[in-house]
């Protein structure tokens, strides 16, 4: 337990990212104020709109918290990371803000909209096969060869503390929150958010959400250890940001300590939720960003009971063609 990120660490990360990351709002998801049954209506849902961050996703929190903590010598050498898109953008954004060279190892399957934004931020992109091994090995070799500092996408205490600032804001803005729904990829977001939420409101439930076609976190929690899925399996989901094959070791330790359960959603539920968020809440969600809200809309029976729910819309960097297809 001593290795887990603490509330003071998350609070220090919040000080670091102030003025860089947006303190995103909790947006009410529309509901019928007078249900046909004449009852009290649905529990309230608030959507934590991380799509409003400067890079369109929550990842800027962890990346900036980590990179801003580097020494002058480390900054001079530059940084490297591996990512399917949003963390890469966050590292590029933070590095540019701090005047640091950034090299990004990205799967060649990454949506073009994410790659283009990384390049526009001045980062160098290196393409690899869409497997966790290829990504991590290439980034490691570049770090060793050039002296770059590795900024891991999720398996890092500094990154987890930065992501945890979203949980800090949730409880401060909604102190009576009962259930917090968090997307799971490598686990950095749910690790940090659960640490913050449980420290400030221990009675609240934290539930992870992932696609049925990439349910390695669900299997990991059931097995009591991180379980890997093949890249071919996770590659089937539309949620490209959630195709990580295995949760990180440090995030998993946080999940074991703080997370109350994991639910999964279907591809159709993800698409329907993207459409509803756009039409009813005026929020753009990429597929991975929509899964937490999808759990509230379509898997309510699998969630803990409560009067106040918050779902984290983790990102809005969706391919335009896909978004138009979803809106049909």
């Amino acid at each position: 337990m001593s290795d887990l990120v603490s509330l003071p660490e998350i609070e220090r990360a919040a000080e670091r990212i102030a003025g860089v990351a947006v303190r995103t709002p909790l947006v009410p998801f529309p509901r019928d104020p007078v249900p046909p049954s004449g009852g009290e209506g649905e529990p309230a849902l608030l959507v934590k709109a991380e799509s409003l961050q400067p890079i369109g996703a929550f990842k800027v929190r962890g990346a900036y918290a980590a990179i801003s903590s580097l020494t002058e010598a480390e900054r001079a050498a530059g940084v490297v990371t591996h990512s399917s898109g949003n963390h890469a953008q966050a590292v590029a954004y933070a590095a540019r803000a701090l005047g640091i060279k950034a090299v990004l190892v990205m799967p060649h399957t990454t949506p073009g909209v994410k790659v283009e934004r990384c390049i526009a931020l001045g980062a160098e992109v290196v393409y690899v096969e869409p497997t966790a091994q290829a990504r991590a090995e290439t980034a490691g070799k570049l770090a060793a060869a050039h002296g770059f500092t590795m900024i891991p996408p999720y398996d890092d205490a500094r990154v987890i503390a930065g992501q945890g600032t979203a949980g800090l804001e949730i409880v401060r803005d909604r102190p009576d929150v009962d259930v917090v729904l968090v997307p799971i990829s490598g686990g950095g977001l749910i690790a940090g958010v659960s640490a913050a939420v449980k420290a400030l409101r221990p009675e609240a439930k934290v539930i992870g959400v992932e696609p049925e076609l990439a349910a390695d976190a669900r299997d990991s929690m059931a097995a009591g250890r991180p379980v890997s899925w093949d890249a071919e399996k996770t590659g089937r989901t539309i949620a490209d940001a959630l195709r990580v094959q295995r949760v990180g070791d440090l995030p998993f330790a946080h999940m074991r300590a703080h997370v109350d359960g994991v639910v999964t959603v279907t591809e159709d539920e993800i698409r329907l939720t993207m459409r509803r968020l756009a039409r009813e809440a005026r929020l753009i969600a990429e597929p991975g960003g929509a899964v937490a809200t999808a759990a509230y809309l379509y898997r309510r029976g699998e969630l803990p009971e409560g009067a106040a729910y918050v779902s984290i819309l983790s990102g809005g960097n969706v391919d335009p063609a896909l978004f138009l297809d979803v809106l049909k």
Side-chain angles (χ1 to χ4, degrees), residues 85-98:
N86 284 333
H87 178 67
Q89 286 186 74
V91 168
Y93 184 89
R96 179 168 180 171
L98 295 166

PDB file of all heavy atoms in Angstrom, residues 85-98:
ATOM      1  N   GLY A  85      -2.251   7.301 -29.057  1.00  0.00           N
ATOM      2  CA  GLY A  85      -2.735   8.593 -29.535  1.00  0.00           C
ATOM      3  C   GLY A  85      -2.857   9.692 -28.507  1.00  0.00           C
ATOM      4  O   GLY A  85      -2.154  10.698 -28.589  1.00  0.00           O
ATOM      5  N   ASN A  86      -3.737   9.546 -27.527  1.00  0.00           N
ATOM      6  CA  ASN A  86      -4.013  10.658 -26.629  1.00  0.00           C
ATOM      7  C   ASN A  86      -2.844  10.981 -25.697  1.00  0.00           C
ATOM      8  O   ASN A  86      -2.541  12.155 -25.447  1.00  0.00           O
ATOM      9  CB  ASN A  86      -5.279  10.395 -25.816  1.00  0.00           C
ATOM     10  CG  ASN A  86      -6.534  10.590 -26.641  1.00  0.00           C
ATOM     11  OD1 ASN A  86      -6.545  11.359 -27.594  1.00  0.00           O
ATOM     12  ND2 ASN A  86      -7.602   9.886 -26.284  1.00  0.00           N
ATOM     13  N   HIS A  87      -2.168   9.963 -25.177  1.00  0.00           N
ATOM     14  CA  HIS A  87      -1.001  10.236 -24.330  1.00  0.00           C
ATOM     15  C   HIS A  87       0.120  10.847 -25.172  1.00  0.00           C
ATOM     16  O   HIS A  87       0.843  11.738 -24.709  1.00  0.00           O
ATOM     17  CB  HIS A  87      -0.516   8.958 -23.650  1.00  0.00           C
ATOM     18  CG  HIS A  87       0.707   9.150 -22.800  1.00  0.00           C
ATOM     19  ND1 HIS A  87       0.701   9.895 -21.647  1.00  0.00           N
ATOM     20  CD2 HIS A  87       1.990   8.704 -22.956  1.00  0.00           C
ATOM     21  CE1 HIS A  87       1.920   9.895 -21.106  1.00  0.00           C
ATOM     22  NE2 HIS A  87       2.711   9.182 -21.893  1.00  0.00           N
ATOM     23  N   ALA A  88       0.244  10.379 -26.405  1.00  0.00           N
ATOM     24  CA  ALA A  88       1.249  10.951 -27.301  1.00  0.00           C
ATOM     25  C   ALA A  88       0.989  12.441 -27.513  1.00  0.00           C
ATOM     26  O   ALA A  88       1.915  13.268 -27.443  1.00  0.00           O
ATOM     27  CB  ALA A  88       1.243  10.217 -28.640  1.00  0.00           C
ATOM     28  N   GLN A  89      -0.257  12.797 -27.764  1.00  0.00           N
ATOM     29  CA  GLN A  89      -0.605  14.208 -27.927  1.00  0.00           C
ATOM     30  C   GLN A  89      -0.298  14.999 -26.656  1.00  0.00           C
ATOM     31  O   GLN A  89       0.186  16.135 -26.717  1.00  0.00           O
ATOM     32  CB  GLN A  89      -2.095  14.349 -28.245  1.00  0.00           C
ATOM     33  CG  GLN A  89      -2.483  13.957 -29.649  1.00  0.00           C
ATOM     34  CD  GLN A  89      -3.944  14.282 -29.906  1.00  0.00           C
ATOM     35  OE1 GLN A  89      -4.301  15.427 -30.075  1.00  0.00           O
ATOM     36  NE2 GLN A  89      -4.775  13.257 -29.932  1.00  0.00           N
ATOM     37  N   ALA A  90      -0.586  14.396 -25.518  1.00  0.00           N
ATOM     38  CA  ALA A  90      -0.359  15.082 -24.248  1.00  0.00           C
ATOM     39  C   ALA A  90       1.123  15.332 -24.020  1.00  0.00           C
ATOM     40  O   ALA A  90       1.521  16.416 -23.569  1.00  0.00           O
ATOM     41  CB  ALA A  90      -0.943  14.259 -23.102  1.00  0.00           C
ATOM     42  N   VAL A  91       1.957  14.342 -24.314  1.00  0.00           N
ATOM     43  CA  VAL A  91       3.396  14.507 -24.165  1.00  0.00           C
ATOM     44  C   VAL A  91       3.901  15.573 -25.134  1.00  0.00           C
ATOM     45  O   VAL A  91       4.723  16.430 -24.767  1.00  0.00           O
ATOM     46  CB  VAL A  91       4.120  13.161 -24.389  1.00  0.00           C
ATOM     47  CG1 VAL A  91       5.633  13.378 -24.526  1.00  0.00           C
ATOM     48  CG2 VAL A  91       3.829  12.206 -23.232  1.00  0.00           C
ATOM     49  N   ALA A  92       3.405  15.546 -26.375  1.00  0.00           N
ATOM     50  CA  ALA A  92       3.808  16.552 -27.358  1.00  0.00           C
ATOM     51  C   ALA A  92       3.414  17.951 -26.881  1.00  0.00           C
ATOM     52  O   ALA A  92       4.204  18.903 -27.009  1.00  0.00           O
ATOM     53  CB  ALA A  92       3.162  16.248 -28.710  1.00  0.00           C
ATOM     54  N   TYR A  93       2.220  18.075 -26.344  1.00  0.00           N
ATOM     55  CA  TYR A  93       1.727  19.369 -25.873  1.00  0.00           C
ATOM     56  C   TYR A  93       2.556  19.874 -24.692  1.00  0.00           C
ATOM     57  O   TYR A  93       2.992  21.034 -24.660  1.00  0.00           O
ATOM     58  CB  TYR A  93       0.265  19.230 -25.468  1.00  0.00           C
ATOM     59  CG  TYR A  93      -0.398  20.525 -25.037  1.00  0.00           C
ATOM     60  CD1 TYR A  93      -1.020  21.356 -25.958  1.00  0.00           C
ATOM     61  CD2 TYR A  93      -0.410  20.903 -23.697  1.00  0.00           C
ATOM     62  CE1 TYR A  93      -1.629  22.538 -25.566  1.00  0.00           C
ATOM     63  CE2 TYR A  93      -1.016  22.085 -23.288  1.00  0.00           C
ATOM     64  CZ  TYR A  93      -1.626  22.896 -24.229  1.00  0.00           C
ATOM     65  OH  TYR A  93      -2.227  24.068 -23.836  1.00  0.00           O
ATOM     66  N   ALA A  94       2.780  18.998 -23.721  1.00  0.00           N
ATOM     67  CA  ALA A  94       3.544  19.393 -22.532  1.00  0.00           C
ATOM     68  C   ALA A  94       4.982  19.723 -22.896  1.00  0.00           C
ATOM     69  O   ALA A  94       5.562  20.692 -22.398  1.00  0.00           O
ATOM     70  CB  ALA A  94       3.494  18.278 -21.490  1.00  0.00           C
ATOM     71  N   ALA A  95       5.577  18.914 -23.772  1.00  0.00           N
ATOM     72  CA  ALA A  95       6.960  19.151 -24.171  1.00  0.00           C
ATOM     73  C   ALA A  95       7.101  20.480 -24.897  1.00  0.00           C
ATOM     74  O   ALA A  95       8.057  21.232 -24.665  1.00  0.00           O
ATOM     75  CB  ALA A  95       7.444  18.004 -25.056  1.00  0.00           C
ATOM     76  N   ARG A  96       6.158  20.781 -25.768  1.00  0.00           N
ATOM     77  CA  ARG A  96       6.224  22.054 -26.477  1.00  0.00           C
ATOM     78  C   ARG A  96       6.076  23.224 -25.499  1.00  0.00           C
ATOM     79  O   ARG A  96       6.793  24.230 -25.599  1.00  0.00           O
ATOM     80  CB  ARG A  96       5.129  22.113 -27.533  1.00  0.00           C
ATOM     81  CG  ARG A  96       5.124  23.429 -28.315  1.00  0.00           C
ATOM     82  CD  ARG A  96       4.230  23.344 -29.527  1.00  0.00           C
ATOM     83  NE  ARG A  96       4.218  24.595 -30.273  1.00  0.00           N
ATOM     84  CZ  ARG A  96       3.655  24.753 -31.455  1.00  0.00           C
ATOM     85  NH1 ARG A  96       3.070  23.731 -32.045  1.00  0.00           N
ATOM     86  NH2 ARG A  96       3.674  25.914 -32.069  1.00  0.00           N
ATOM     87  N   ALA A  97       5.155  23.092 -24.543  1.00  0.00           N
ATOM     88  CA  ALA A  97       4.952  24.165 -23.564  1.00  0.00           C
ATOM     89  C   ALA A  97       6.200  24.418 -22.736  1.00  0.00           C
ATOM     90  O   ALA A  97       6.463  25.559 -22.326  1.00  0.00           O
ATOM     91  CB  ALA A  97       3.779  23.814 -22.651  1.00  0.00           C
ATOM     92  N   LEU A  98       6.986  23.356 -22.506  1.00  0.00           N
ATOM     93  CA  LEU A  98       8.174  23.471 -21.667  1.00  0.00           C
ATOM     94  C   LEU A  98       9.461  23.575 -22.478  1.00  0.00           C
ATOM     95  O   LEU A  98      10.556  23.618 -21.906  1.00  0.00           O
ATOM     96  CB  LEU A  98       8.250  22.259 -20.727  1.00  0.00           C
ATOM     97  CG  LEU A  98       7.114  22.165 -19.696  1.00  0.00           C
ATOM     98  CD1 LEU A  98       7.074  20.784 -19.064  1.00  0.00           C
ATOM     99  CD2 LEU A  98       7.271  23.241 -18.629  1.00  0.00           C
TER     100      LEU A  98
END
